[in-house]
Amino acid sequence: MPRNRTASAALLALALALPAQGDTFADLRAALATLKGSSPLHATWSTAEVNDTEGRFANFKTDVSTSVEVTRDAAGLHVVLTPTVLAQMAVEGSRNPDSIRNANRQATKNVSLVNVADSLDYSDYLIGVLRRGTVVREQKGTWQQRPVRILVLAMKEEREKEGFHIGDVKYLEDQMTLWIGDDNLPLAAARSQKISAGFLIFRGTSTRKQHWSFVRSGDSLVLAVYEDQTTFSGMGQHGNGTTRQTVALH
């Protein structure tokens, strides 16, 4: 047998003997798709928001928080305002029901049932986000002392073609990192964005950092902790805002 054919045969035999290398990104999406989000859950869903802005057009600070009790069963999703929250809302409503200083009343008014439902079953939402990502790097690492695979994705925002848009928005940076456990499900994720937006001669920039921590409960990927930190400056304004949402399973 010619020497080059011998070498090729040896390489082929070695390749067949080695374990097949999986596609971590494909495995992640496949694992998420198996989660149906139907198992019963009972949890406390909480949110807290802090905003601070100063400038030519507005100056204000807000610090609001609230929590609701949520249950998911065969009949659907049930959201309950606790007696404590109801009492706080009553006190604030008796003063000035529409004031932004009514921290609990405003926060409870802004509770999104869609956000609550997504938090208890985050897999479908995350699949949608990952459709806009392309893997640029994969490596091994640890998350809270657990061995993980780390995926770094370049993200692409898809702006809706329909509808009315004023000005332009440019994503100067958009990267997402995921920490994947041995069951191919994410333990955590982080996303960093730098955005430039403007209209005519006015332009501003902002940075946004998001962090997610997940736990699995039955056939659901639960968003245990979500943090969103944004800073912005331009067009006569500057400021920052932080949102933190948590799900405590019972």
Side-chain angles (χ1 to χ4, degrees):
M1 180 182 293
R3 185 174 182 178
N4 60 341
R5 291 183 61 186
T6 302
S8 298
L11 289 173
L12 177 59
L14 177 62
L16 292 174
L18 292 174
Q21 298 298 310
D23 182 341
T24 301
F25 194 38
D27 292 342
L28 164 64
R29 289 177 291 178
L32 290 171
T34 65
L35 301 179
K36 304 304 180 184
S38 59
S39 55
L41 287 177
H42 179 211
T44 300
W45 185 92
S46 304
T47 182
E49 295 184 18
V50 178
N51 292 285
D52 185 355
T53 184
E54 297 179 348
R56 183 186 306 170
F57 305 106
N59 294 277
F60 65 86
K61 295 182 180 180
T62 59
D63 186 348
V64 300
S65 61
T66 193
S67 63
V68 295
E69 295 298 306
V70 295
T71 301
R72 188 183 68 199
D73 56 27
L77 180 67
H78 313 271
V79 178
V80 176
L81 300 180
T82 65
T84 300
V85 171
L86 289 172
Q88 292 170 334
M89 290 174 58
V91 170
E92 293 176 344
S94 66
R95 296 195 298 257
N96 182 354
D98 296 320
S99 172
I100 63 173
R101 293 182 176 85
N102 291 340
N104 294 283
R105 188 178 184 87
Q106 290 299 318
T108 305
K109 179 189 288 188
N110 294 334
V111 169
S112 166
L113 296 182
V114 173
N115 284 348
V116 174
D118 282 344
S119 297
L120 298 184
D121 178 25
Y122 207 71
S123 55
D124 287 339
Y125 185 89
L126 186 55
I127 288 172
V129 172
L130 296 178
R131 288 196 180 102
R132 301 193 293 270
T134 302
V135 178
V136 296
R137 186 168 70 254
E138 178 178 348
Q139 62 192 56
K140 294 182 178 180
T142 59
W143 173 262
Q144 296 181 347
Q145 300 182 336
R146 295 176 58 178
V148 295
R149 289 159 291 164
I150 301 173
L151 288 180
V152 179
L153 311 180
M155 304 299 294
K156 181 180 179 181
E157 276 293 332
E158 297 179 357
R159 190 173 183 181
E160 296 289 342
K161 295 181 180 179
E162 298 180 355
F164 182 66
H165 303 285
I166 298 177
D168 66 285
V169 178
K170 297 179 180 178
Y171 286 82
L172 308 178
E173 175 187 312
D174 196 348
Q175 181 172 283
M176 188 171 188
T177 304
L178 298 110
W179 288 262
I180 313 299
D182 54 13
D183 59 357
N184 293 321
L185 291 174
L187 298 172
R191 187 172 181 178
S192 177
Q193 295 171 302
K194 292 184 179 180
I195 304 167
S196 173
F199 174 67
L200 298 178
I201 63 173
F202 303 101
R203 180 158 293 278
T205 58
S206 67
T207 61
R208 185 183 186 189
K209 295 184 182 298
Q210 301 174 83
H211 299 270
W212 298 260
S213 294
F214 305 103
V215 295
R216 181 172 182 174
S217 178
D219 62 354
S220 298
L221 183 71
V222 177
L223 179 57
V225 180
Y226 170 69
E227 294 182 342
D228 186 336
Q229 297 178 317
T230 301
T231 61
F232 64 90
S233 63
M235 293 180 279
Q237 291 289 137
H238 66 275
N240 58 80
T242 301
T243 299
R244 179 181 171 86
Q245 295 177 359
T246 61
V247 174
L249 294 171
H250 302 310

